[in-house]
Amino acid sequence: MSESAVLLITCPDRKGLVSSIANFLFQHDGNILHADQHQDAELGLFLMRVEWDLTGFALDFSEIPVRFDPIARRLGMQWRLASSSHRPRVAIFVSRQTHCLADLLYRYRAGELACEIPLIVSNHPDGRWIADSYGIPYYQIEMIAGRKDAAEVRQLELLDEHRIDLVVLARYMQILSPAMVARFPNRILNIHHSFLPAFSGAKPYHQAYERGVKLIGATSHYVTEILDDGPIIEQDVVRISHRDGVRELVQKGQDLEKVVLSRAVRWHVENRVLVYGRKTVVFS
Amino acid sequence: MSESAVLLITCPDRKGLVSSIANFLFQHDGNILHADQHQDAELGLFLMRVEWDLTGFALDFSEIPVRFDPIARRLGMQWRLASSSHRPRVAIFVSRQTHCLADLLYRYRAGELACEIPLIVSNHPDGRWIADSYGIPYYQIEMIAGRKDAAEVRQLELLDEHRIDLVVLARYMQILSPAMVARFPNRILNIHHSFLPAFSGAKPYHQAYERGVKLIGATSHYVTEILDDGPIIEQDVVRISHRDGVRELVQKGQDLEKVVLSRAVRWHVENRVLVYGRKTVVFS
Amino acid sequence: MSESAVLLITCPDRKGLVSSIANFLFQHDGNILHADQHQDAELGLFLMRVEWDLTGFALDFSEIPVRFDPIARRLGMQWRLASSSHRPRVAIFVSRQTHCLADLLYRYRAGELACEIPLIVSNHPDGRWIADSYGIPYYQIEMIAGRKDAAEVRQLELLDEHRIDLVVLARYMQILSPAMVARFPNRILNIHHSFLPAFSGAKPYHQAYERGVKLIGATSHYVTEILDDGPIIEQDVVRISHRDGVRELVQKGQDLEKVVLSRAVRWHVENRVLVYGRKTVVFS
Amino acid sequence: MSESAVLLITCPDRKGLVSSIANFLFQHDGNILHADQHQDAELGLFLMRVEWDLTGFALDFSEIPVRFDPIARRLGMQWRLASSSHRPRVAIFVSRQTHCLADLLYRYRAGELACEIPLIVSNHPDGRWIADSYGIPYYQIEMIAGRKDAAEVRQLELLDEHRIDLVVLARYMQILSPAMVARFPNRILNIHHSFLPAFSGAKPYHQAYERGVKLIGATSHYVTEILDDGPIIEQDVVRISHRDGVRELVQKGQDLEKVVLSRAVRWHVENRVLVYGRKTVVFS
C-alpha cells in the first residue's frame, strides 16, 4: 500500500468546515481515501477524520502543517496530522495474566497492528517466554510496596529510551502514579475486565458473580487520574449463566479482554480515535 | 398440550437427591418432560426444576404435596409445585412510556405468555387506547405527591380483588413503598433501562450518554426494598456509537426493554425462575 | 425539528468530489447536519449521503435540483434529493402472522418511522383488529390459486390510488409477480426469517431446526425477481440451543424479525440506504 | 480437583430412565456434580450427561461398565464412560493460517483444554515457530497433487503412533479422504469460516463480501464425508459494515474462528458433546 496521511480535527461547529478541508486537499491534488465526520449538536462540536493518498499529493508531508495552519487558525481547529509511514512505538505492560500479551504479539507479528513494539515491561516473570518467542526485550521491574517510585522512574527511563508513543496496560494490575498518567495523556490504554462503569476497581469477575449478572463485559479506555474512569474506546460482553462459577467467568472474560483491547490498540495506532471531554469518537 | 406439573426445589446438596425425586415420580408412573438441576458448590446448594406429564400420573394433583412432603422434610427441601393448568394472574403497571405494555399484550394475545392479565394499572392515561384494543380493564390511579399512600391502598385493593400473583412494572417509573414490596416477595418484576449495576436510578440513558459507553443495556429483576438491586432475571445489550444521541439511545434501548422484560415474564409464569440469595437460576 | 434536505449520490470515484459537493452547499449557506461517504475501491465507486438544514439555506427546495444538476452532470453522478418534510407513503402487506404488522404500527404511532402508512393489504383477516385499533384502512384481497393476477391488479390499483412510495412485506408469504417487482425497483422491502443466504425459500425455521444450527437469523432485503436474493439491508441473529424446538425457534425468531424489519424501514424512509449492484450501503 | 466420571447416554425415551441412572449412582455412593438431560420429543429420544465424584464412589472405575451394562441393556442405551483423569490426545492439523493454532496452544498451556497435544501436522512450514515455542513436535507433510494418498498414509501412521483420539482441523484447508474421515467418526473437528450452511466450500469471506451480508460467522463441526455438512457444535457471528473489505472480513472473522473452534475443542474433550443424527447436544 502506498503512503497516506490522516488529519484528525476538532473545532466549534460552523458552516463551511467540510468545504475548507476538502478544498485544501483538492487544491493540492489530494485523493481522499476515507473521510468521516461527526457533529455533537449538544456541544456544538465538529470532529473529523480524513485520510488521503500521499502519492501524487502536491505537498511534501512536512509542508502540510505549514500550509494547513492558517485554515486551522481561522476556524479554531485543534488538529493532529499523521503519516501511515510513521508506526507508533508501543510498550506493553503486563503482570501475571499473559493472555492479552500473547494475543497482541501474535496480531503484531501477523501484521494486524500498524505499530512497533520495542519492549515489554512487567513486574513478574510470567510473560518472558512469550516475549522471547517473538524476540522482544522483556524488562522485569518488581513493584515492591514502598518502593514503587523507584520502579516507575526506571519504567519512565525505558519509555524515553525507546521513544514510546503509547503504553498498553495488558492486564497490568498496578495503579500508575498521577505523574506517569500526566506524562502520557490519552496515550495510556487499559483493559478493564468488566463492563464499565459496572464493577470498577478490584476483582470485577468476583463482583459480577456476587451480583448475579447475566452478561459479563470488558472495557478498553484511556487511563486518567481517576481509576477506571477514562474515556471508553471499546466494550463488549458475553452471556453467562448460573452454571458459570468465577473460574468460568474468568475464562469467558479473557476472550473478551483480548478482542476488546486489540481493537482499541488497532484503532489508536491507526489514528481513528478522537477524545473529547470524557468520550471518544472512533472513526472505524 | 396435556397438563403438566412443575416442581421447583432448593435444598442443601447431598447424595441421593436426584434419586429420591426421580423415584417419587417413577413410582407414581410419572413421565418426565424436562428436568434441569444446578449445584452451587460454594453455597452447598442444590436447585432443581422438574416437569412431568400429569396424564397417566397415578396421583391427583392435590395429592402430590401430601405425598411429596415426607421426602421434602427428610431432605430439608424448600419446594413449590405448580400445574400448567393454573395460569398465574398478572397485573401490568405502566406510566407514560407504553412500548413494553403494547409488546406484552401482543405476546399475551399471541399465546406466548402462559398467564392471565386481568388488569392494567397506570398513573397516566397514555396506555388506555392499547388496553382498550385488547379489551383489558385499565385503572388510572394518579400518584400525587403527599398522597401516594392512598393511591397505593387503592392499587392493593385492585390486586386483591383480581387475585394477582405477579405484578409487572412495565416502565412504571414510580418507587413502590416497602409495604407493597413486602406483600409480593419475588413477585414484582421490573424492567430497568440500563445494564445493572451500571446506571441504576434515574435517567439511565442520559447517564450512559454522559459516560460515553459503547453498549447500552436493559435489565429485568425482582423488586426488593433497595432500588434496582433485586435478583436479576435477564439482561441484554445493544451496540451504540458516537452518532447516537440520547434520543437514539432511548429508541434502541426500548427494543431491548421489550425483549428483556417479556423473557423475564415468560420465564416467571412458566415457573422457570428460582431465586436464591441475591441471584436467580433460570431453567430455560 | 426544522426541515432538512438529504442528497444521496453515487458516481465514479475521482478527486474533488467532496470539495464540489461541500462548496455547493457552502455557497448557498448550507449548514451540514450529517455527512457520510464511502468509497468502494474495487469498483472505483464513490457513494455519499449529506444532510443539511433547509432553514437559512439560500435556495428553495425546488431550486436545488436545477442548481445541482450541472455539477452532477460534470462529475457523472446519479443522485436523489429528499426533504424531511416529505414523508414517504408506505403500504404494509401482511398474511396470517401479524407480529411485524403490530410492531411497525406501534412504532409508527410512537413517531419512530418518518413515513405515512395509509393502508394495509392482506390475503387474510388476521390483522384487521390491529389495523382497526390504529385506524388504518385494511384491504383484504384473497389470493386464490389461478386467480392471483386479478388480485395483483387490485393491489396495484390501491398502491396507485394511495400514491405509495414503498411496499413493506411484513411476513406476506406470497411471491410477487415479476411485473409487480419491476414496478417498485428497490422499493419493496421484505423480511425473511433466516440469516440469508442460509435457508432461503420456504419454512426456514424448519430448515434451521433440521440442520442443527446454533443461531437463527432474520434478514431484511429489497425484493428482486429472484426469490430471497435482493440487496440485504439488515440482518441479525439470536442464539438457540438443543432445547429449542421449531416452536421456540419461531418465537425467538419473531423478535428478530420485528427489530430487523423495523430498522430497514426506518433507514429506507430516512433515505439512509443506497443500493449498488447486489449490495447496500446504510448510512446510519 | 478430584477425579470425576462422566456418563453420556442416548436411548429411546421412556419412564424411569432418570430414576434408574440416579439409583445406580446413589447405590454406589455417587455424589452427582452435574447432571443435564434432554428429550427430543419428535424423535422420542432421551439424551443425558451425568458427572459424579469418583472420590468415595464404591466402584472402581473399571468396574463401572460391568455394573452399568445390565441397566443399559434393559433400557436400550448407547453410552460412553469417561474419566476426568484420562486426557484425550489431540492432533492439530494446520495449513498456512496459524491464528487458530496459536490460540489453541496458548489455551492448552494455560490449562483451559483438558487434553494432551502431542503433535501438530501441517503441509506448510508457517506454524513451526509457534509449535517450537511450545515445545510440541511439528510434522511437515507436503500435499502434492496426485500424491496425497501417500501423505495421508504418513498422517495416519503418526495418528496411530501417538494414539490420537481427536483430530482438530485448525484451518487446514485440505479435504480429507473418505477413508480418513471413516477412521475418526465424530472425532475430527473442523472450523469453517462462515455461518454454515451459508457459504460452504471455498473462499467464504469472498462469498460473504460479494453477497453483501451484514454479519459474518464461523462454524465448528464434526467432519463427515460431505463437505461442510457435519453436525454443528458451535457457531458465532460478528457485525460488519459496507466499510469492511475482504481484508477486514478476514481479520474480524479470525477472531470468531479462534473462539468458536476453541469452544468446540473444550466441549469435546470435556465429554460435553453428544451427536445424534445430523445434530449435536452440547451439555454446557
Side-chain angles (χ1 to χ4, degrees):
Chain A
M1 276 186 296
S2 62
E3 199 183 339
S4 65
V6 170
L7 204 47
L8 282 167
I9 295 165
T10 315
C11 65
D13 197 13
R14 52 183 286 180
K15 290 178 189 176
L17 290 169
V18 177
S19 167
S20 299
I21 297 159
N23 287 344
F24 171 75
L25 295 177
F26 184 49
Q27 281 155 15
H28 301 101
D29 238 8
N31 186 23
I32 296 176
L33 300 172
H34 301 284
D36 200 359
Q37 62 187 85
H38 175 59
Q39 274 113 320
D40 187 309
E42 209 175 293
L43 302 177
L45 266 186
F46 173 88
L47 306 107
M48 188 174 193
R49 180 187 189 272
V50 58
E51 183 172 359
W52 70 99
D53 204 334
L54 284 174
T55 312
F57 193 56
L59 301 177
D60 276 353
F61 186 75
S62 60
E63 279 181 285
I64 301 172
V66 185
R67 299 294 188 89
F68 188 64
D69 189 60
I71 298 166
R73 280 176 188 275
R74 181 163 49 84
L75 299 166
M77 292 173 175
Q78 289 183 284
W79 56 281
R80 200 167 82 227
L81 177 71
S83 156
S84 67
S85 70
H86 172 75
R87 294 166 67 88
R89 297 175 66 79
V90 175
I92 301 178
F93 280 41
V94 68
S95 189
R96 305 205 57 183
Q97 301 274 342
T98 57
H99 54 285
C100 285
L101 174 67
D103 183 72
L104 286 172
L105 293 187
Y106 182 83
R107 291 176 196 272
Y108 172 51
R109 173 113 157 205
E112 253 185 63
L113 303 175
C115 64
E116 300 300 330
I117 302 181
L119 85 161
I120 293 153
V121 173
S122 181
N123 51 338
H124 287 288
D126 305 67
R128 186 178 295 278
W129 70 277
I130 301 170
D132 286 353
S133 75
Y134 287 89
I136 297 175
Y138 186 87
Y139 295 90
Q140 192 178 331
I141 302 173
E142 279 181 70
M143 300 303 284
I144 299 160
R147 289 165 60 187
K148 294 201 176 183
D149 285 4
E152 209 170 72
V153 166
R154 176 68 188 124
Q155 289 175 346
L156 282 167
E157 281 171 8
L158 283 168
L159 299 180
D160 281 346
E161 205 174 289
H162 289 276
R163 290 164 293 120
I164 292 303
D165 297 301
L166 176 72
V167 175
V168 174
L169 307 182
R171 297 296 309 273
Y172 178 54
M173 313 305 282
Q174 296 283 327
I175 295 174
L176 305 185
S177 76
M180 181 112 170
V181 172
R183 270 288 308 279
F184 291 88
N186 294 334
R187 294 195 290 129
I188 304 176
L189 241 166
N190 186 42
I191 179 74
H192 184 74
H193 39 312
S194 83
F195 182 78
L196 287 176
F199 311 129
S200 62
K203 291 191 173 281
Y205 290 129
H206 287 80
Q207 292 184 56
Y209 180 76
E210 290 306 320
R211 181 63 186 91
V213 290
K214 301 298 186 184
L215 301 162
I216 55 168
T219 304
S220 187
H221 63 94
Y222 288 116
V223 173
T224 59
E225 282 210 10
I226 303 169
L227 186 67
D228 299 332
D229 189 63
I232 292 170
I233 303 163
E234 175 64 341
Q235 303 187 287
D236 217 335
V237 297
V238 71
R239 190 160 285 273
I240 57 168
S241 86
H242 58 270
R243 293 181 187 279
D244 295 308
V246 171
R247 191 170 164 270
E248 284 74 29
L249 265 51
V250 168
Q251 210 166 81
K252 289 190 172 184
Q254 288 182 346
D255 282 341
L256 286 180
E257 296 166 30
K258 291 185 287 190
V259 169
V260 167
L261 179 59
S262 72
R263 283 183 198 147
V265 172
R266 186 162 67 240
W267 293 336
H268 180 97
V269 300
E270 292 178 357
N271 299 293
R272 297 186 178 281
V273 188
L274 249 177
V275 177
Y276 72 110
R278 253 180 101 196
K279 296 189 191 182
T280 65
V281 170
V282 177
F283 294 110
S284 59
Chain B
M1 275 186 297
S2 62
E3 199 183 340
S4 64
V6 169
L7 203 47
L8 282 168
I9 296 165
T10 315
C11 65
D13 198 12
R14 52 184 285 182
K15 291 179 189 176
L17 291 168
V18 177
S19 167
S20 300
I21 297 161
N23 286 344
F24 171 75
L25 296 177
F26 185 49
Q27 280 156 15
H28 301 100
D29 237 8
N31 186 24
I32 296 177
L33 300 172
H34 301 285
D36 200 359
Q37 60 185 87
H38 174 59
Q39 275 113 321
D40 187 310
E42 209 175 295
L43 302 178
L45 265 185
F46 173 88
L47 306 107
M48 188 175 192
R49 180 186 190 272
V50 57
E51 183 171 0
W52 70 98
D53 204 335
L54 285 174
T55 312
F57 193 56
L59 302 176
D60 275 352
F61 186 75
S62 59
E63 279 180 284
I64 300 173
V66 184
R67 300 296 188 89
F68 187 66
D69 190 59
I71 298 165
R73 280 176 188 274
R74 182 164 48 84
L75 299 167
M77 292 174 175
Q78 288 183 284
W79 56 282
R80 201 167 81 227
L81 177 72
S83 156
S84 66
S85 70
H86 171 76
R87 295 166 66 88
R89 297 174 65 80
V90 175
I92 300 177
F93 279 43
V94 68
S95 189
R96 305 205 57 183
Q97 301 275 342
T98 57
H99 53 284
C100 285
L101 174 67
D103 182 72
L104 286 172
L105 293 186
Y106 181 84
R107 291 177 197 272
Y108 172 52
R109 174 113 156 206
E112 254 184 63
L113 303 176
C115 64
E116 300 300 329
I117 302 180
L119 85 161
I120 293 153
V121 173
S122 181
N123 52 338
H124 287 287
D126 305 68
R128 186 178 295 279
W129 70 276
I130 300 169
D132 287 352
S133 74
Y134 287 89
I136 298 175
Y138 185 89
Y139 294 90
Q140 192 177 331
I141 302 173
E142 279 181 72
M143 299 303 284
I144 298 160
R147 290 166 60 186
K148 295 200 175 184
D149 285 3
E152 210 170 72
V153 166
R154 176 69 187 123
Q155 289 175 347
L156 282 168
E157 281 171 9
L158 283 168
L159 299 181
D160 281 346
E161 205 175 289
H162 289 275
R163 290 164 292 119
I164 291 304
D165 298 300
L166 176 73
V167 175
V168 174
L169 307 183
R171 297 295 309 273
Y172 178 53
M173 314 306 281
Q174 297 282 328
I175 295 173
L176 305 186
S177 76
M180 180 112 170
V181 172
R183 270 288 307 280
F184 291 88
N186 294 333
R187 294 196 290 129
I188 306 177
L189 239 166
N190 186 41
I191 179 75
H192 184 74
H193 39 312
S194 83
F195 182 78
L196 287 175
F199 311 130
S200 61
K203 290 191 173 284
Y205 291 129
H206 287 80
Q207 292 184 56
Y209 181 76
E210 291 305 321
R211 181 62 186 93
V213 290
K214 301 299 184 185
L215 302 162
I216 54 168
T219 303
S220 187
H221 63 95
Y222 288 115
V223 174
T224 58
E225 282 210 10
I226 302 169
L227 186 67
D228 299 332
D229 189 64
I232 293 169
I233 303 163
E234 174 64 339
Q235 305 188 283
D236 216 336
V237 297
V238 71
R239 189 161 285 274
I240 58 167
S241 86
H242 57 269
R243 293 182 187 279
D244 295 309
V246 171
R247 191 170 164 270
E248 284 74 29
L249 264 52
V250 168
Q251 212 167 79
K252 289 189 172 184
Q254 289 182 346
D255 282 340
L256 286 180
E257 296 165 30
K258 290 184 289 190
V259 170
V260 167
L261 179 59
S262 71
R263 283 183 199 148
V265 172
R266 186 162 66 241
W267 294 336
H268 180 98
V269 300
E270 292 178 358
N271 299 294
R272 297 185 178 281
V273 188
L274 249 178
V275 177
Y276 71 112
R278 253 180 103 197
K279 297 189 192 182
T280 64
V281 169
V282 177
F283 294 110
S284 59
Chain C
M1 276 187 298
S2 62
E3 197 183 341
S4 64
V6 169
L7 204 47
L8 281 168
I9 295 165
T10 315
C11 65
D13 197 12
R14 52 183 285 180
K15 291 177 187 176
L17 291 168
V18 178
S19 168
S20 300
I21 298 160
N23 287 344
F24 170 75
L25 296 176
F26 185 49
Q27 280 156 16
H28 301 102
D29 239 5
N31 186 24
I32 296 177
L33 300 172
H34 302 283
D36 200 359
Q37 61 186 87
H38 175 59
Q39 275 114 319
D40 187 311
E42 208 175 295
L43 302 178
L45 265 186
F46 173 89
L47 306 107
M48 188 175 193
R49 180 186 189 273
V50 57
E51 182 170 0
W52 70 98
D53 205 334
L54 284 174
T55 312
F57 194 57
L59 301 177
D60 277 353
F61 186 75
S62 61
E63 278 180 286
I64 300 172
V66 184
R67 299 297 188 89
F68 187 65
D69 190 59
I71 298 165
R73 280 175 188 276
R74 183 164 47 83
L75 298 167
M77 293 174 174
Q78 289 183 283
W79 56 282
R80 200 167 83 226
L81 177 72
S83 157
S84 67
S85 70
H86 171 75
R87 296 166 65 88
R89 298 174 64 80
V90 175
I92 300 178
F93 280 41
V94 67
S95 189
R96 306 205 57 181
Q97 301 275 340
T98 57
H99 54 284
C100 285
L101 174 68
D103 182 73
L104 287 171
L105 293 186
Y106 182 83
R107 291 176 195 272
Y108 172 52
R109 174 114 156 204
E112 252 184 64
L113 303 176
C115 64
E116 301 298 331
I117 303 181
L119 84 160
I120 293 153
V121 173
S122 181
N123 51 337
H124 288 286
D126 306 66
R128 185 178 296 278
W129 69 277
I130 301 169
D132 286 353
S133 73
Y134 287 89
I136 298 175
Y138 186 88
Y139 295 90
Q140 192 178 330
I141 302 173
E142 280 182 70
M143 299 303 284
I144 298 158
R147 290 165 61 186
K148 295 200 177 182
D149 284 4
E152 209 170 73
V153 166
R154 177 68 188 124
Q155 289 175 345
L156 282 168
E157 281 172 8
L158 283 168
L159 299 180
D160 280 346
E161 206 175 288
H162 290 275
R163 290 164 293 119
I164 292 303
D165 298 301
L166 175 73
V167 175
V168 174
L169 308 182
R171 299 293 311 272
Y172 178 53
M173 313 306 283
Q174 296 282 327
I175 295 174
L176 306 186
S177 76
M180 180 113 169
V181 173
R183 270 289 306 280
F184 291 88
N186 293 333
R187 294 195 290 130
I188 305 176
L189 241 165
N190 187 41
I191 180 74
H192 184 75
H193 39 312
S194 82
F195 183 77
L196 287 176
F199 310 130
S200 62
K203 292 193 172 281
Y205 290 129
H206 287 79
Q207 292 184 56
Y209 181 76
E210 291 304 321
R211 182 61 186 93
V213 290
K214 301 298 184 184
L215 302 161
I216 55 167
T219 303
S220 185
H221 63 94
Y222 288 115
V223 174
T224 57
E225 283 212 9
I226 303 169
L227 185 67
D228 299 330
D229 188 64
I232 293 169
I233 302 163
E234 175 63 339
Q235 303 187 287
D236 217 336
V237 297
V238 71
R239 189 161 285 274
I240 57 166
S241 86
H242 58 269
R243 293 183 187 279
D244 295 308
V246 171
R247 191 171 163 269
E248 285 74 28
L249 265 51
V250 168
Q251 212 166 79
K252 290 189 171 183
Q254 288 182 347
D255 281 341
L256 286 180
E257 295 165 31
K258 290 185 288 190
V259 169
V260 167
L261 179 60
S262 71
R263 284 184 198 147
V265 172
R266 186 162 68 242
W267 293 337
H268 180 98
V269 300
E270 292 178 357
N271 299 294
R272 298 186 178 281
V273 188
L274 249 178
V275 176
Y276 72 109
R278 252 181 102 194
K279 297 189 190 182
T280 65
V281 170
V282 177
F283 294 110
S284 59
Chain D
M1 273 186 299
S2 62
E3 199 183 339
S4 64
V6 169
L7 204 47
L8 282 167
I9 295 165
T10 315
C11 64
D13 197 13
R14 53 184 284 180
K15 291 178 188 176
L17 291 169
V18 177
S19 168
S20 300
I21 297 161
N23 287 343
F24 171 75
L25 295 177
F26 185 50
Q27 281 156 14
H28 301 100
D29 236 7
N31 186 24
I32 296 177
L33 300 171
H34 301 284
D36 200 359
Q37 62 186 86
H38 175 59
Q39 274 113 320
D40 187 311
E42 207 175 295
L43 302 179
L45 264 187
F46 173 87
L47 306 107
M48 187 176 194
R49 181 187 188 272
V50 58
E51 183 172 358
W52 71 98
D53 205 336
L54 284 175
T55 312
F57 194 56
L59 300 178
D60 276 352
F61 187 75
S62 60
E63 280 181 285
I64 300 173
V66 184
R67 299 296 188 90
F68 188 65
D69 190 60
I71 298 166
R73 279 177 188 274
R74 182 165 46 86
L75 298 166
M77 293 174 174
Q78 289 183 284
W79 57 282
R80 201 166 82 226
L81 176 72
S83 156
S84 67
S85 70
H86 172 75
R87 295 165 67 86
R89 298 175 64 80
V90 175
I92 301 178
F93 279 41
V94 67
S95 188
R96 306 204 57 182
Q97 302 274 342
T98 57
H99 53 284
C100 285
L101 174 67
D103 183 72
L104 286 172
L105 293 187
Y106 181 84
R107 292 177 195 271
Y108 172 51
R109 174 113 157 205
E112 252 185 63
L113 303 177
C115 63
E116 300 299 330
I117 303 182
L119 85 160
I120 294 154
V121 173
S122 181
N123 51 337
H124 287 287
D126 305 67
R128 185 177 295 278
W129 71 277
I130 300 169
D132 286 352
S133 74
Y134 287 90
I136 297 174
Y138 185 88
Y139 295 90
Q140 192 177 331
I141 301 172
E142 280 182 72
M143 299 304 284
I144 298 160
R147 290 167 57 187
K148 295 200 175 181
D149 284 4
E152 210 170 71
V153 166
R154 175 70 187 122
Q155 290 175 344
L156 282 168
E157 281 171 8
L158 283 168
L159 299 181
D160 281 347
E161 205 174 290
H162 290 275
R163 290 165 291 121
I164 292 303
D165 297 302
L166 176 71
V167 175
V168 174
L169 307 183
R171 298 296 309 273
Y172 177 54
M173 314 305 282
Q174 297 282 328
I175 296 173
L176 305 186
S177 75
M180 180 112 171
V181 172
R183 269 289 306 279
F184 291 89
N186 292 334
R187 294 195 290 128
I188 305 176
L189 242 166
N190 186 41
I191 179 74
H192 184 75
H193 38 312
S194 84
F195 182 77
L196 287 176
F199 310 130
S200 62
K203 290 190 173 283
Y205 291 128
H206 287 80
Q207 291 184 56
Y209 180 77
E210 290 304 320
R211 182 61 186 92
V213 289
K214 301 298 185 185
L215 301 162
I216 55 167
T219 304
S220 187
H221 62 95
Y222 289 115
V223 173
T224 58
E225 281 212 11
I226 303 169
L227 187 66
D228 300 331
D229 189 63
I232 292 170
I233 303 163
E234 174 63 341
Q235 304 188 286
D236 217 335
V237 296
V238 70
R239 190 161 284 274
I240 58 166
S241 86
H242 58 270
R243 293 182 188 280
D244 295 308
V246 171
R247 192 171 162 269
E248 284 74 29
L249 265 52
V250 168
Q251 211 165 80
K252 290 189 172 184
Q254 289 183 345
D255 282 341
L256 286 180
E257 295 165 31
K258 290 185 289 190
V259 170
V260 167
L261 179 59
S262 71
R263 283 184 198 147
V265 172
R266 188 163 65 241
W267 294 336
H268 180 97
V269 299
E270 293 179 357
N271 299 294
R272 297 186 179 281
V273 188
L274 250 179
V275 176
Y276 72 110
R278 252 180 102 196
K279 297 189 192 183
T280 65
V281 170
V282 178
F283 294 109
S284 60

